[in-house]
Amino acid sequence: MLGLELDAVLLARIQFAFTISFHIVFPAFTIGLASWLAVIEGLYLKTGEKRYEDIYRMWVKIFAVCFGMGVVSGVVMSYQFGTNWSVFSDKTGNVIGPLLGYEVLTAFFLEASFLGIMLFGWGRVSKKMHFVSTVIVAVGTLISAFWILSANSWMQTPQGFEIGDDGLLYPTNWIEIIFNPSFPYRFFHMVVAAYLTTAFVVGGVSAYYLWRGRHQKHARIMFAMAMMMAVFVAPVQLLIGHAHGENTMHYQPVKVAAMEGNWERGGNKPLYLFGIPNEETETTDYGVKVPNGASWVLTGQADGEIPGLKDVAKEDRPPVIWVFWSFRVMVGLGMAMILTGVCAAVLFFRKRLFTSRLFQLWCMAMTPSGFIALLAGWFVTEIGRQPYTAYGVIRTSESISPVAAEQVAISLILFIIVYTLIFGAGSYYILKLIGKGPSVKKDKGAYYGHTMEASVTKKLTTKDS
Amino acid sequence: MFDFSTWIDLPLIWGGLIATAVFLYVFLDGFDLGCGILFPFAPSDQCRNKIMNSIAPFWDGNETWLVLGGGGLFAAFPVAYAVLMPALYMPVILMLIGLIFRGVAFEFRFKTDGRDRRYWDIAFHGGSLLAAFMQGMILGNFVQGVTVEGRSFAGGALDWANGFAVVTGIAVIFGYALLGATWLIMKTDKQTQDWARKAARYVVFFVFIGMVIVSISMPFIDPRISDLWFSVPNIFFLLPIPLCTAIAFIMLWRDLHSARECRPFLLSIALFFLAYLGIGISLFPWIVPFSFTVWDAAAASTSQSLLLVGALVFLPIILIYTAYSYYIFRGKSDEHSHY
Ligand code: HDD
Ligand code: HEM
Ligand code: HEM
């Protein structure tokens, strides 16, 4: 009986982790891409340069595919709170329900409606209005990130509520709830992560064109823009991430201890570049370490005190090795991004930015780096919060729905099959679009074919003849 | 912390708002799911392209009403959400999977031609069918009520699979098909329109049967429902609903044999509205039938107040730009691919 209950919790966690990891990949890319497309279209309107239009049209197709997958996987998320975490929903509904409600009201409708105009509105609305639609979609994705990250951050650092006699949570201060202590850091870190993810995809794709000697003129624009992001924004991410970590040390010390693989609270703690945390012996084995590194990074002093995993009982600790290694993957990739920016700057001053083949190969290899860093980051955050769903308030094991393990197993298998299929097909079409590249042909016929302008001109020309 | 509960009956308002959101979902996504249901029966590929194009700019916005329904329920009636979702676990998951296939089929279909496209046609049709059927099953189970203990669902894993729910599932498929067909009469012309009209004439017959069966069985579900409809003063107040439904059916039937283009769609919406109203009246004030009323299940009044401000400010704006988007894409749909 106990075994079965545990299984239901584990299965629900795996299902949630799987479906949200799948979901977040698409928003991360569409948040960045929407903003970038708005910039590109703005440049097009300002300069009238045809290349911007070609670039826009190429990426807007990729955007549509990703957005579609983001929407369908997102709708799944909004029902999973109830299907799989009903007790959690019941208890915290008063607090995070309104946040999700606001997300729907202020973001989802906006994105969905103006997406239609963005994709199908060419020629039906003025160029300006089309640009405005793109901007609205971009802003919509940011608003959406605002609310959902507020909800998630509240689960990490809950405040502004009281627990009633009935065991439910009641809000006492909305400002404290929405702007909870970890929210600003998480919001900026995530938005920047989304921008970097997009930048490295665009950079990788344009590097591929440069390498193959295709679409040179378009590729240069894209490549230059992507590298600007690497030069200027990747270091910013390091700073935000660092501040985020300091904040976490204050509010979720055990999570930081897991990230650092540190067991005993104290000063002069090393920074592990490599290591294998062992929950049995409560040590981090095979360490390759920088002496005093962790203390120095987190407190600014070599002998600064940092929290240890042994501060809390065994059952209150997260699965250390996952947090520890996910954190290293994220930070490692962040460093690789900064390195990319440095190389780009050096090559730029040597006037070899667009010609260095080695650098092009490197950028192609970096294409998925944003996605991996982003997922790793979420793994740090979410697994590091265990064994709680709302940190220190509700345990994961108490959050689960009264649904039979078999049902969860079936739905999990269904999701894995369906998502694999959809993901495979989606990637295939995206790769095909990338393979095709920006089309410089005057394919106005196909594009404007159905539009009002086109039908008017058609009517006029047929009248003339 | 502001709280409106001293001035107004928040749970009642929220019940009304969620019922409205769900109704908007049902008729808006209903017509595009209906298009998906009828899709493979269209006479040519050209027609199918027209069908797709007539709904492509709208489906996402339409589906968002479902998210509002779910999100609103979570926010305004957490316990109802927490009871209903586990109770309807499988139908909800299957509905979501249907919606996934339906949704991606739009994007993928535009990117392909030839053999591949067939697969996405199947995904589009299958997804729409599955989603519609599961929504019908959810409705069927909802009106029958679920087993509750304390604040949790306490029934069995297969409670949802029952005969009545299958009937409502099938009825919803035909209902959506009617909405889809009449939408297409309005949004297409020539061959596609002729076909849509024929399809509507066929489907409307089954919608009628479905509605009769469901209406007759409703009073047997719970004595409270039969008391409500058949006690003496009530019956006179409520009689207009079946009467209007009958009139709408007759008008629709005649319109489908004439050249009218817009009215059949409006009449189909009216039919849906009347059916929805009938169910709503039968179940009022239950939000989880026969276990929780809107007042029992209400979230903290501060939570309901906060979101009410958002709803009052944003719903009108949403309605305006939704209308704007329908206005931009007014007129007959064509068969060309858009991008
Ligand atoms: C940082 C950003 C972010 C995060 C953490 C999440 N989402 Fe998301 N979500 C978006 C950013 C986003 C987005 C950018 O706004 C999307 C992507 C594609 C789209 O249509 O909007 C979206 C789509 C999207 C949709 C479809 C909206 C529509 O119909 O148009 C729903 C229902 C959700 N999400 C719900 C969730 C839930 C319940 C989450 C957490 C458990 C979640 N999302 C995490
Ligand atoms: C979008 C990026 C996100 C990713 C990649 C992510 C990842 C994860 C992972 C890996 C787990 C499983 C942890 C474990 O079982 O050890 C998890 C659990 C969970 N997350 Fe997130 N998460 C994300 C965002 C969110 C958001 C925005 C919310 C809420 C608003 C949320 C709420 C939850 C809940 C309720 C659980 C289940 C309980 C648990 O196992 O902790 N997550 N998530
Ligand atoms: C460069 C050095 C970086 C540092 C020092 C850093 C630091 C951190 C820390 C400490 C957390 C956990 C916060 C918590 O849960 O309390 C975190 C989470 C996260 N990181 Fe990073 N990060 C870095 C780079 C990156 C990069 C390059 C990306 C993606 C492109 C990224 C994406 C994320 C995401 C998505 C999360 C989860 C959401 C959040 O908690 O903000 N990070 N990061």
Side-chain angles (χ1 to χ4, degrees):
Chain A
M1 187 60 214
L2 194 68
L4 213 69
E5 264 173 26
L6 272 179
D7 281 349
V9 177
L10 190 65
L11 286 169
R13 283 168 70 180
I14 296 174
Q15 176 167 322
F16 198 91
F18 176 71
T19 47
I20 192 138
S21 300
F22 184 87
H23 174 62
I24 195 63
V25 165
F26 301 103
F29 189 49
T30 48
I31 292 170
L33 205 51
S35 297
W36 184 60
L37 283 173
V39 172
I40 290 282
E41 193 171 17
L43 286 171
Y44 169 58
L45 281 190
K46 215 176 133 204
T47 61
E49 171 75 63
K50 173 87 166 50
R51 272 181 293 172
Y52 290 122
E53 193 193 355
D54 299 335
I55 292 174
Y56 185 95
R57 287 201 193 155
M58 169 190 167
W59 286 97
V60 81
K61 290 175 200 165
I62 294 172
F63 180 75
V65 173
C66 291
F67 206 90
M69 293 202 272
V71 169
V72 295
S73 57
V75 176
V76 172
M77 294 319 305
S78 64
Y79 279 84
Q80 267 199 351
F81 280 115
T83 52
N84 294 75
W85 305 106
S86 66
V87 177
F88 172 81
S89 306
D90 184 23
K91 284 192 178 156
T92 61
N94 287 335
V95 177
I96 56 179
L99 305 187
L100 299 181
Y102 266 92
E103 181 179 14
V104 184
L105 290 169
T106 56
F108 288 157
F109 278 109
L110 205 64
E111 294 173 63
S113 301
F114 286 91
L115 177 75
I117 299 178
M118 190 175 158
L119 296 182
F120 305 106
W122 289 88
R124 283 196 179 230
V125 294
S126 70
K127 276 186 183 169
K128 267 219 188 87
M129 186 59 214
H130 192 273
F131 171 61
V132 169
S133 306
T134 309
V135 173
I136 291 180
V137 171
V139 172
T141 61
L142 292 174
I143 300 177
S144 157
F146 177 94
W147 290 110
I148 194 72
L149 290 173
S150 172
N152 179 272
S153 299
W154 181 85
M155 291 166 66
Q156 307 284 345
T157 49
Q159 65 170 28
F161 67 94
E162 62 191 16
I163 300 182
D165 299 332
D166 46 10
L168 307 185
L169 273 53
Y170 289 89
T172 53
N173 186 332
W174 286 113
I175 300 296
E176 281 186 14
I177 290 171
I178 297 172
F179 297 96
N180 58 77
S182 64
F183 169 61
Y185 300 95
R186 190 163 281 111
F187 177 69
F188 286 113
H189 196 56
M190 176 65 202
V191 170
V192 171
Y195 283 180
L196 284 174
T197 301
T198 307
F200 277 85
V201 172
V202 173
V205 170
S206 48
Y208 167 72
Y209 292 149
L210 290 173
W211 196 65
R212 292 283 304 268
R214 293 171 53 195
H215 315 296
Q216 293 275 355
K217 285 185 185 154
H218 299 86
R220 278 173 182 240
I221 296 183
M222 296 192 257
F223 196 64
M225 288 176 88
M227 287 309 122
M228 293 239 283
M229 293 293 286
V231 172
F232 294 109
V233 180
V236 172
Q237 184 71 326
L238 176 65
L239 297 180
I240 302 175
H242 175 70
H244 196 354
E246 283 179 346
N247 181 265
T248 304
M249 186 166 76
H250 192 75
Y251 291 96
Q252 295 174 299
V254 184
K255 186 193 276 185
V256 167
M259 291 185 325
E260 301 297 348
N262 186 35
W263 297 88
E264 302 278 356
R265 175 177 281 274
N268 298 98
K269 289 295 174 186
L271 179 74
Y272 287 94
L273 296 176
F274 182 91
I276 301 189
N278 186 333
E279 291 182 33
E280 294 296 309
T281 60
E282 305 194 318
T283 51
T284 300
D285 306 333
Y286 312 109
V288 177
K289 39 196 171 179
V290 181
N292 299 339
S295 288
W296 190 78
V297 167
L298 283 163
T299 64
Q301 280 149 2
D303 59 353
E305 185 180 86
I306 68 167
L309 282 157
K310 288 191 194 167
D311 290 358
V312 295
K314 255 196 170 125
E315 64 271 18
D316 293 338
R317 295 176 200 161
V320 183
I321 191 154
W322 285 85
V323 181
F324 182 84
W325 273 108
S326 304
F327 185 66
R328 271 150 195 73
V329 169
M330 170 183 66
V331 176
L333 286 169
M335 294 302 175
M337 290 176 178
I338 295 176
L339 184 71
T340 311
V342 173
C343 293
V346 171
L347 287 171
F348 175 76
F349 286 114
R350 295 203 180 158
K351 306 219 181 309
R352 288 191 48 216
L353 181 59
F354 298 113
T355 47
S356 164
R357 290 182 71 78
L358 196 63
F359 189 58
Q360 285 158 11
L361 274 178
W362 168 260
C363 286
M364 280 188 251
M366 287 292 284
T367 310
S369 60
F371 294 111
I372 301 170
L374 185 118
L375 282 175
W378 275 110
F379 277 45
V380 177
T381 298
E382 299 291 314
I383 300 176
R385 183 190 55 195
Q386 295 303 316
Y388 296 99
T389 39
Y391 194 68
V393 181
I394 303 169
R395 283 180 173 266
T396 310
S397 53
E398 301 162 349
S399 305
I400 181 103
S401 295
V403 172
E406 292 84 353
Q407 285 203 72
V408 186
I410 294 172
S411 61
L412 176 58
I413 293 170
L414 279 176
F415 276 123
I416 292 179
I417 295 173
V418 171
Y419 280 10
T420 311
L421 215 88
I422 302 290
F423 189 76
S427 317
Y428 170 74
Y429 291 122
I430 290 173
L431 289 179
K432 239 175 70 171
L433 288 168
I434 290 174
K436 224 166 109 200
S439 140
V440 283
K441 280 192 315 252
K442 292 214 170 55
D443 57 352
K444 276 205 166 168
Y447 210 86
Y448 288 105
H450 68 293
T451 62
M452 271 193 342
E453 274 167 23
S455 50
V456 171
T457 36
K458 213 197 264 164
K459 255 180 212 148
L460 290 178
T461 43
T462 39
K463 232 180 231 167
D464 288 347
S465 56
Chain B
M1 294 284 288
F2 53 95
D3 185 340
F4 304 143
S5 58
T6 44
W7 301 312
I8 48 179
D9 191 342
L10 280 167
L12 193 65
I13 293 178
W14 268 109
L17 276 174
I18 287 173
T20 312
V22 172
F23 178 69
L24 283 170
Y25 172 73
V26 165
F27 105 73
L28 288 169
D29 214 23
F31 77 71
D32 47 52
L33 287 170
C35 289
I37 291 165
L38 296 170
F39 195 66
F41 306 110
S44 70
D45 251 1
Q46 202 186 17
C47 297
R48 276 188 276 276
N49 290 342
K50 281 191 189 178
I51 296 177
M52 240 358 187
N53 289 347
S54 78
I55 50 181
F58 308 124
W59 73 272
D60 188 2
N62 295 347
E63 199 172 292
T64 308
W65 290 99
L66 180 67
V67 183
L68 183 62
L73 192 66
F74 179 26
F77 302 102
V79 70
Y81 179 77
V83 167
L84 290 172
M85 292 303 142
L88 302 169
Y89 190 85
M90 269 299 150
V92 168
I93 299 277
L94 292 174
M95 170 191 82
L96 293 170
I97 287 180
L99 290 175
I100 291 176
F101 279 114
R102 188 284 289 257
V104 295
F106 279 99
E107 302 305 339
F108 292 173
R109 192 179 181 277
F110 284 129
K111 307 283 178 302
T112 58
D113 35 47
R115 268 242 325 270
D116 267 27
R117 178 168 277 199
R118 305 271 334 240
Y119 296 129
W120 297 116
D121 285 354
I122 295 170
F124 182 55
H125 175 63
S128 304
L129 208 56
L130 182 65
F133 183 62
M134 286 304 155
Q135 286 174 6
M137 295 217 43
I138 291 170
L139 171 72
N141 278 294
F142 177 75
V143 300
Q144 293 178 78
V146 299
T147 317
V148 174
E149 237 167 64
R151 296 176 70 86
S152 295
F153 169 63
L158 287 174
D159 283 7
W160 57 276
N162 57 66
F164 181 71
V166 172
V167 173
T168 48
I170 295 171
V172 166
I173 291 181
F174 280 107
Y176 283 177
L178 178 67
L179 280 173
T182 50
W183 162 261
L184 290 172
I185 295 175
M186 184 169 79
K187 291 293 283 187
T188 63
D189 50 10
K190 304 193 192 105
Q191 195 193 13
T192 319
Q193 192 187 40
D194 295 341
W195 163 79
R197 200 171 272 126
K198 235 184 283 164
R201 272 182 233 156
Y202 180 77
V203 166
V204 73
F205 175 69
F206 290 95
V207 175
F208 180 72
I209 296 188
M211 265 172 130
V212 170
I213 295 179
V214 174
S215 312
I216 293 179
S217 36
M218 278 291 282
F220 292 103
I221 289 175
D222 195 277
R224 275 166 284 201
I225 300 181
S226 51
D227 286 354
L228 177 87
W229 284 83
F230 300 123
S231 63
V232 162
N234 288 8
I235 195 162
F236 298 109
F237 293 117
L238 294 176
L239 210 54
I241 295 180
L243 280 181
C244 289
T245 312
I247 295 171
F249 263 117
I250 295 168
M251 283 172 70
L252 180 60
W253 181 252
R254 298 182 55 180
D255 279 2
L256 290 176
H257 289 82
S258 71
R260 281 190 181 274
E261 292 196 331
C262 293
R263 211 169 71 179
F265 184 56
L266 299 178
L267 285 169
S268 308
I269 296 174
L271 278 175
F272 261 82
F273 180 71
L274 290 162
Y276 193 81
L277 196 65
I279 295 173
I281 291 175
S282 306
L283 294 182
F284 181 81
W286 301 108
I287 188 126
V288 179
F290 322 124
S291 303
F292 289 98
T293 65
V294 285
W295 296 284
D296 303 332
S301 52
T302 44
S303 308
Q304 289 196 337
S305 304
L306 180 76
L307 198 57
L308 188 62
V309 175
L312 292 182
V313 173
F314 287 102
L315 277 180
I317 301 178
I318 290 168
L319 289 173
I320 290 171
Y321 62 66
T322 304
Y324 173 69
S325 133
Y326 276 84
Y327 171 76
I328 298 275
F329 296 102
R330 67 195 175 279
K332 303 281 182 190
S333 130
D334 66 16
E335 80 245 38
H336 300 294
S337 87
H338 289 285
Y339 64 119

